[in-house]
Amino acid sequence: MAAPRRPPRARVREREQEQERERLRTPAAGNDQVHSWTLVTSQALDATWRIAKGSVMLAVSFLVATLCYFRRLHLYLGHRLKWWIGYLQRKFKRNLSVAAEVDLLSYCAREWKGETPRAKLMRKAYEELFWRRHVKCVRRVKSDNYDALRSVLFQIFSQGLSFPSWMKEKDIVKLPEKLLFSQGCNWIQQYSFGPERYTGSNVFGKLRKCVELLKTQWTHFSGIKDYHKRGNMCNILFSDASLEYKLYEALKFIMLYQVTEVYEQMKMKKIDMFILGYTLEVKIKVFRLFKFNSRDFEVCYPEDPLREWPEISLLTENDCHYHIPVF
């Protein structure tokens, strides 16, 4: 038996419903496709970001490492440069123990300010040197136990004075042995070199080297005829403390030798200056500023030199420290 046929209206409604379901299914498929593309794009972007992030981090790490390296290099080079600058300054800077010439009255005004009796006396004494004794400048000398020796020896070298006559006749390098073996001066074995209290068996060797250095330098300076060249050489020598002190030790020893030779002539108040002048055969004129307006303002050591010896001038404010007047 045949199935009853549905009315046309029912079929139309079913067709419309079918079309509606089909229409509803179509956007869902589109949404899935859009979602798929969105997912793929997101994954691609994530991958790209990870790659870019890794590259950026690598670049930043490399940059930081480079900066740290250059910073350490900069600090190292700065430290080395500072060390070399200090080394070169110490090597070539002339730390002169005898300063350059300065105007006498300007020096006095700077050193002796105020209205104390001593300051007034010093100013008058300096004015006396400037106006009546024709001293125009002064060279300050380093203050230590050797300043008198330094002041005299600097002028001997800068003026190119020759050896004393007795030094030309004797080999002064052999004087240490002569004092010990010929004159029985056993104290020479206890000779001290400045702060070095005991030298031991090497005393003769050290003394010979000091005396030989003095002889060599004196010969060198006396042979230089050009005044300016001698001045430059003096500046070099008197900026080398090691060489300086060897020269002074040689002078000390030679003065001791002279004491044994001229003991009867040492009856003076200022024995050390007498010995120095007698040893080097120079007349040492000293302006004693603190004795201004007295007979002891200008004194000479020795008072009556045996021959026409060259004259060396010093000035002192207290009989303890000496400077070099420049005429």
Side-chain angles (χ1 to χ4, degrees):
M1 186 169 109
R5 298 182 62 184
R6 287 178 291 181
R9 184 175 295 176
R11 287 197 298 274
V12 171
R13 187 178 296 112
E14 289 178 359
R15 193 177 299 114
E16 290 176 353
Q17 291 176 352
E18 184 66 26
Q19 290 176 352
E20 181 66 21
R21 285 194 295 272
E22 185 68 25
R23 186 176 61 79
L24 292 175
R25 283 197 299 270
T26 300
N31 289 338
D32 291 340
Q33 188 175 9
V34 171
H35 177 73
S36 177
W37 278 105
T38 302
L39 181 61
V40 171
T41 303
S42 177
Q43 292 175 347
L45 290 175
D46 289 342
T48 303
W49 168 246
R50 285 195 297 271
I51 295 173
K53 183 179 179 182
S55 300
V56 170
M57 293 298 295
L58 181 62
V60 170
S61 300
F62 177 76
L63 180 61
V64 170
T66 303
L67 291 176
C68 290
Y69 170 77
F70 279 108
R71 182 175 181 274
R72 289 194 295 269
L73 180 63
H74 171 74
L75 293 175
Y76 173 78
L77 293 178
H79 175 73
R80 297 302 298 175
L81 181 61
K82 184 177 180 180
W83 186 89
W84 276 106
I85 290 175
Y87 171 78
L88 293 175
Q89 286 178 341
R90 292 190 299 272
K91 186 174 181 62
F92 296 105
K93 181 180 179 181
R94 291 181 177 178
N95 185 23
L96 292 176
S97 58
V98 179
E101 297 178 8
V102 295
D103 179 75
L104 185 75
L105 295 183
S106 298
Y107 170 80
C108 172
R110 184 174 66 249
E111 295 295 321
W112 293 100
K113 301 176 182 179
E115 298 300 323
T116 64
R118 183 170 179 81
K120 292 179 180 179
L121 178 68
M122 287 299 169
R123 288 198 294 268
K124 290 180 180 180
Y126 274 107
E127 289 173 1
E128 170 75 12
L129 291 183
F130 185 83
W131 296 111
R132 297 182 180 273
R133 310 303 173 98
H134 308 294
V135 178
K136 302 303 180 185
C137 298
V138 61
R139 301 188 71 142
R140 293 198 64 174
V141 177
K142 180 181 178 181
S143 178
D144 57 17
N145 293 330
Y146 301 101
D147 58 272
L149 300 180
R150 181 181 291 112
S151 301
V152 172
L153 191 61
F154 182 89
Q155 293 182 79
I156 288 176
F157 283 179
S158 63
Q159 295 179 25
L161 301 182
S162 61
F163 276 110
S165 57
W166 73 270
M167 286 190 186
K168 295 178 182 178
E169 299 169 358
K170 299 180 180 180
D171 185 1
I172 61 175
V173 178
K174 295 181 180 179
L175 292 183
E177 288 87 346
K178 181 179 179 180
L179 277 180
L180 178 63
F181 298 115
S182 299
Q183 302 184 20
C185 298
N186 294 325
W187 53 261
I188 198 66
Q189 299 183 51
Q190 303 299 322
Y191 189 89
S192 63
F193 294 82
E196 185 179 346
R197 296 304 176 189
Y198 179 68
T199 305
S201 59
N202 195 33
V203 62
F204 293 115
K206 295 188 70 171
L207 277 175
R208 283 177 64 94
K209 288 181 179 179
C210 291
V211 176
E212 186 174 10
L213 176 65
L214 175 64
K215 182 178 180 180
T216 301
Q217 291 294 328
W218 201 327
T219 303
H220 176 67
F221 277 95
S222 62
I224 299 175
K225 303 305 179 183
D226 183 79
Y227 172 79
H228 297 289
K229 184 176 180 181
R230 284 201 308 270
N232 292 333
M233 295 299 295
C234 278
N235 289 338
I236 294 174
L237 175 61
F238 286 84
S239 61
D240 189 330
S242 176
L243 288 181
E244 256 195 282
Y245 292 134
K246 290 179 182 178
L247 296 176
Y248 305 146
E249 292 299 330
L251 281 180
K252 280 171 49 182
F253 169 74
I254 293 174
M255 289 168 64
L256 289 173
Y257 170 79
Q258 285 295 83
V259 168
T260 65
E261 295 287 311
V262 293
Y263 178 76
E264 292 300 324
Q265 302 181 45
M266 294 193 307
K267 296 173 178 163
M268 299 180 61
K269 179 181 178 181
K270 199 66 176 172
I271 294 178
D272 54 345
M273 296 299 290
F274 168 78
I275 298 172
L276 181 59
Y278 191 91
T279 300
L280 303 180
E281 291 189 359
V282 293
K283 180 180 180 180
I284 303 176
K285 179 189 291 185
V286 181
F287 296 107
R288 305 169 77 205
L289 304 188
F290 65 102
K291 294 292 185 179
F292 180 65
N293 277 339
S294 73
R295 62 187 303 271
D296 294 326
F297 174 65
E298 179 183 329
V299 295
C300 292
Y301 305 103
E303 292 183 352
D304 298 312
L306 301 180
R307 302 176 183 87
E308 291 298 323
W309 290 347
E311 185 174 279
I312 296 297
S313 296
L314 307 178
L315 66 85
T316 179
E317 298 171 350
N318 52 19
D319 257 357
C320 295
H321 182 57
Y322 298 86
H323 294 303
I324 300 174
V326 181
F327 295 86

